[in-house]
Amino acid sequence: MTTRIRSLGALIGVAALALVAGCGSQGSSTSGTPGAGGFTPPSIPMKQSMGKMEGSVNILAWPGYAEDGSNDPKVDWVTPFEQQTGCQANVKYFGTSDEAVNLLKTGNYDVVSASGDASLRLIAGGDVAPVNTSLIKDYNQIEPFLKDKAWNSVNGQMYGVPHGWGANLLMYRTDLVSPAPTSWGAVFDQSSTYKGKVTAYDSPIYIADAALYLMKTQPDLGIKNPYALDQTQLDAAVSLLKNQRANISEYWSDYLKEVSAFKSGDSVIGTTWKVIQQVAASEKAPVKAILPTEGATGWSDTWMIGAHAQHPNCAYAWMSYITEPKPQSEVAQYFGEAPANGQACKLTGAAFCKAYHTTDQAFADKIWYWTTPISQCLDGRTNTTCTNYGDWTQAWTEIKG
């Protein structure tokens, strides 16, 4: 089990996000094509064929995604890659998406495991290249519902290879929360029922959870995408979260702290990940986690190749290898998420994949995956300007007080 902290964007500053906010012209070229989000990505050449391996590859990864046995001798899928390809894997772990973006910009890294809030920034900024998926050995085994999405492609051109995904679920103490919740209303409109015992994810991206709830319960606001909010819509989400703030026990980003809070009863209801619920339950906390009727936000991570990768052949070899069934099964079980390659289920066992809904498209379709809010509305509106992540970061500071 990893102790990874997925504090998405918690340290992302307004300045760092200005690139995305203004990505309509940033580095664009006449050969670029308009993106689904209304921006034109820079024209970056796409690799057409494999060449001679360079002997090494520099990898940026979330902790747990590229284990080489140094943390646990039994957990090692990097060494087999090196033996198969002759590419020495030099792994650098990062703790936040902002850190990953800044490290990739140095030009010292070839591939990165990017979350949805980082991937769009990297595409817009010309920091990653489009990916020739015909060079990825098992790309046809990647679940279709993870391909050609707003956070990993532009106009049908993939900018990476899906790796793993999951939903932000609603967890509650079965002995202290009654009746059992079915809606996010339990932590928003009815949060006062559990005053001082409600927990929420500590990141500006959590604003999307409130927006999703409003999208389903206040249709007059016109929210069509929880990551595409004009100022009025953002204000409504912020108001909801400020009201919730009075009932919050703590905002969490380290999932081990959330496990501890549910065990002690300091928190009895709030957003969570499947792996957290499993860890808490294994430690005798009476908890359940559900996908509420409104659906949920979630994450889908993507392996992307740097626009200026110095070892492009080894980088493609890594993206191809790490999305094969065996390493996919190993990463998913170690990290606690659904593998993108459904064939991994033959190795994890059916119970694991059922718990994580690995091949469950109906479940996946209920998730709004983390995507960086940008000024160009991601819902396709062109008659207004949407709020960007910088606006969300400022709003989150106000919400927390």
Side-chain angles (χ1 to χ4, degrees):
M1 186 63 61
T2 176
T3 57
R4 162 182 163 174
I5 301 173
R6 184 194 286 266
S7 52
L8 275 177
L11 302 178
I12 296 177
V14 175
L17 290 154
L19 172 62
V20 173
C23 61
S25 59
Q26 180 71 33
S28 63
S29 73
T30 55
S31 59
T33 55
F39 68 90
T40 300
S43 180
I44 305 293
M46 181 173 71
K47 189 173 179 59
Q48 297 301 313
S49 61
M50 293 296 288
K52 183 179 179 181
M53 297 297 160
E54 297 90 352
S56 65
V57 59
N58 298 327
I59 299 169
L60 279 173
W62 286 110
Y65 273 8
E67 292 296 309
D68 61 1
S70 57
N71 290 321
D72 182 344
K74 298 178 181 178
V75 180
D76 182 4
W77 44 87
V78 167
T79 299
F81 163 76
E82 294 174 328
Q83 294 170 340
Q84 292 176 24
T85 63
C87 301
Q88 177 180 330
N90 305 308
V91 180
K92 169 73 173 178
Y93 289 131
F94 56 83
T96 69
S97 288
D98 192 40
E99 183 182 358
V101 170
N102 289 334
L103 286 170
L104 191 68
K105 285 181 178 295
T106 66
N108 295 327
Y109 300 93
D110 301 303
V111 289
V112 59
S113 61
S115 291
D117 66 329
S119 54
L120 192 59
R121 279 192 287 160
L122 293 170
I123 295 171
D127 299 306
V128 293
V131 167
N132 187 341
T133 57
S134 69
L135 302 180
I136 304 300
K137 175 175 169 288
D138 292 332
Y139 188 74
N140 64 336
Q141 296 177 354
I142 301 297
E143 293 302 316
F145 53 78
L146 300 174
K147 299 177 180 177
D148 301 315
K149 297 302 181 183
W151 62 90
N152 61 23
S153 71
V154 176
N155 279 356
Q157 172 59 59
M158 287 296 292
Y159 276 75
V161 186
H163 173 81
W165 62 280
N168 298 314
L169 302 171
L170 177 61
M171 183 161 73
Y172 64 98
R173 281 279 298 253
T174 57
D175 58 334
L176 299 174
V177 174
S178 181
T182 60
S183 165
W184 287 112
V187 294
F188 289 124
D189 288 336
Q190 295 92 47
S191 62
S192 60
T193 304
Y194 309 105
K195 186 174 179 60
K197 301 288 185 179
V198 177
T199 189
Y201 189 54
D202 189 5
S203 168
I205 206 71
Y206 182 63
I207 292 173
D209 291 57
L212 173 60
Y213 178 68
L214 292 174
M215 184 169 75
K216 300 294 185 179
T217 58
Q218 294 190 31
D220 55 304
L221 287 169
I223 299 174
K224 304 300 182 185
N225 180 326
Y227 304 101
L229 306 180
D230 60 34
Q231 191 61 55
T232 298
Q233 294 165 339
L234 177 62
D235 289 345
V238 169
S239 177
L240 184 65
L241 290 166
K242 285 184 175 178
N243 289 335
Q244 182 199 53
R245 176 70 182 89
N247 303 311
I248 288 289
S249 54
E250 67 173 357
Y251 294 103
W252 65 272
S253 57
D254 181 340
Y255 74 58
L256 293 179
K257 290 184 178 178
E258 191 185 33
V259 169
S260 178
F262 270 84
K263 288 173 63 179
S264 67
D266 290 340
S267 296
V268 301
I269 192 167
T271 187
T272 194
W273 302 330
K274 181 63 180 178
V275 66
I276 298 175
Q277 182 266 325
Q278 289 183 321
V279 171
S282 71
E283 297 182 6
K284 309 303 181 185
V287 295
K288 285 187 176 179
I290 63 164
L291 181 71
T293 54
E294 298 89 358
T297 60
W299 74 91
S300 175
D301 292 345
T302 303
W303 284 106
M304 312 182 87
I305 184 168
H308 308 291
Q310 297 176 17
H311 312 96
N313 293 296
C314 282
Y316 262 83
W318 170 258
M319 292 193 297
S320 188
Y321 166 82
I322 199 63
T323 50
E324 293 177 3
K326 188 174 187 299
Q328 279 273 288
S329 70
E330 294 171 333
V331 175
Q333 292 177 94
Y334 180 72
F335 185 78
E337 66 179 2
N341 188 331
Q343 295 300 308
C345 293
K346 296 178 180 177
L347 301 168
T348 62
F352 178 89
C353 282
K354 182 179 180 180
Y356 284 88
H357 300 273
T358 300
T359 59
D360 187 349
Q361 180 164 355
F363 179 88
D365 286 348
K366 297 176 183 176
I367 300 172
W368 287 87
Y369 298 94
W370 282 331
T371 305
T372 309
I374 60 176
S375 299
Q376 294 84 2
C377 296
L378 294 169
D379 58 5
R381 284 178 294 171
T382 57
N383 60 349
T384 189
T385 299
C386 276
T387 54
N388 61 43
Y389 204 88
D391 299 320
W392 286 38
T393 301
Q394 291 180 332
W396 187 243
T397 300
E398 295 172 6
I399 291 165
K400 293 182 66 178

